[in-house]
Amino acid sequence: MMSSLITYDSFVNDPFSGQKFDDHTKGALNVLEWAYSTYDDIVYACSFGAEGIVLIDLISRVRKDAHIVFLDTGVHFQETYDLIDRMKKRFPDLKITMKQPDLTLQEQADKHGDKLWNSNPDKCCYIRKVKPLEEALQGATAWVSGLRREQSLSRSKTDFVNKDERFQSIKVCPLIHWTWDDVWNHIKDNDLPYNDLHDQGYASIGCMPCTSPSEDPNDRSGRWEGFGKTECGLHTSADQGSAT
């Protein structure tokens, strides 16, 4: 399909652009097979949301011992940690890394004030999510993300293979054509574990202080309620992702 390795510096366009997929994964499995055969150092940064569960299942069919990174901010719901334990038992060969920030919560409070997520959520996200992922992706040519086009306007133009300006790498997004119903049909059809909070009205699940119930998975209204913020910075440009 391509004559040379696609890197951040050599990226021109999505090699899957214009291709039509009629399989039940809407191209996701094809893209993952390509990605894991192309990049030996590829990393999946997983939040263990519903899309993440689907991707872990699909990735395990391609690479049983794939490297998965969870950004352990220290303020996730207990239900999220419980789900990770269940997924480790379901997929024992996966290499799941719990990546923590340089600052503990107490060190962050001492330096920037208590409950930084209430006063400056952008900075909190940068310290506890963006910077740790920068470190986790150090040296990695590509990473996998569970973005779907219908999730938000900012994600509506996402391709299967993208030039990622934020982390200066290649970002592979296999689920761009999936709907919320597709995600849940896959989870149920394959009897996959999922976060119990989904049954309590939570669609998008992040850190506990910044996540509220929201049954509409495509408006992200349950994240950073009251701040006019819909992204943590992992999927924005470098200047948007950092904070002063």
Side-chain angles (χ1 to χ4, degrees):
M1 182 170 58
M2 61 206 70
S3 57
S4 59
L5 179 69
I6 298 177
T7 66
Y8 172 80
D9 292 325
S10 68
F11 182 89
V12 177
N13 52 39
D14 178 7
F16 294 95
S17 178
Q19 289 195 42
K20 303 295 183 182
F21 296 99
D22 57 6
D23 68 296
H24 71 286
T25 70
K26 296 186 175 182
L29 203 52
N30 299 72
V31 172
L32 287 170
E33 288 172 346
W34 167 81
Y36 279 88
S37 64
T38 300
Y39 302 104
D40 292 334
D41 57 354
I42 193 167
V43 174
Y44 174 32
C46 181
S47 65
F48 286 84
E51 293 89 353
I53 300 307
V54 169
L55 272 178
I56 286 178
D57 180 54
L58 295 178
I59 288 172
S60 71
R61 304 180 190 187
V62 175
R63 181 75 58 82
K64 288 186 177 182
D65 61 346
H67 183 197
I68 295 175
V69 171
F70 173 69
L71 301 176
D72 186 4
T73 62
V75 285
H76 285 288
F77 291 91
Q78 183 58 48
E79 288 86 347
T80 301
Y81 293 111
D82 293 343
L83 172 61
I84 293 173
D85 288 338
R86 284 186 283 155
M87 291 296 284
K88 287 179 178 179
K89 293 178 181 178
R90 178 69 178 265
F91 301 94
D93 294 327
L94 291 177
K95 298 176 181 177
I96 300 177
T97 299
M98 307 287 280
K99 177 62 176 174
Q100 297 178 336
D102 292 336
L103 298 180
T104 66
L105 288 170
Q106 186 58 56
E107 289 170 340
Q108 177 174 292
D110 293 341
K111 186 173 183 179
H112 300 287
D114 191 31
K115 297 181 180 179
L116 182 60
W117 47 83
N118 286 337
S119 60
N120 192 340
D122 286 341
K123 189 170 190 65
C124 188
C125 285
Y126 179 76
I127 292 171
R128 311 206 73 75
K129 296 184 74 173
V130 178
K131 191 169 183 292
L133 187 56
E134 286 178 348
E135 296 169 356
L137 295 181
Q138 190 97 34
T141 311
W143 66 294
V144 178
S145 172
L147 298 186
R148 294 183 297 110
R149 286 182 174 180
E150 75 165 9
Q151 284 176 314
S152 66
L153 182 62
S154 64
R155 300 180 178 190
S156 62
K157 298 185 184 301
T158 305
D159 291 322
F160 281 124
V161 182
N162 308 265
K163 184 176 185 178
D164 185 356
E165 300 292 354
R166 182 65 194 79
F167 298 102
Q168 296 194 353
S169 62
I170 295 298
K171 181 163 64 176
V172 180
C173 302
L175 301 182
I176 57 172
H177 296 307
W178 284 50
T179 65
W180 189 237
D181 285 342
D182 291 332
V183 170
W184 280 100
N185 287 337
H186 186 91
I187 289 174
K188 293 174 182 176
D189 290 346
N190 293 276
D191 194 25
L192 297 172
Y194 63 87
N195 197 315
D196 293 338
L197 291 174
H198 288 304
D199 293 331
Q200 301 175 34
Y202 291 80
S204 176
I205 302 170
C207 293
M208 185 166 47
C210 303
T211 303
S212 304
S214 173
E215 295 185 358
D216 185 346
N218 300 321
D219 68 4
R220 293 176 65 80
S221 61
R223 304 294 294 276
W224 304 284
E225 189 174 7
F227 283 97
K229 173 180 168 66
T230 60
E231 297 285 355
C232 63
L234 300 182
H235 307 292
T236 57
S237 62
D239 56 339
Q240 291 174 298
S242 59
T244 56

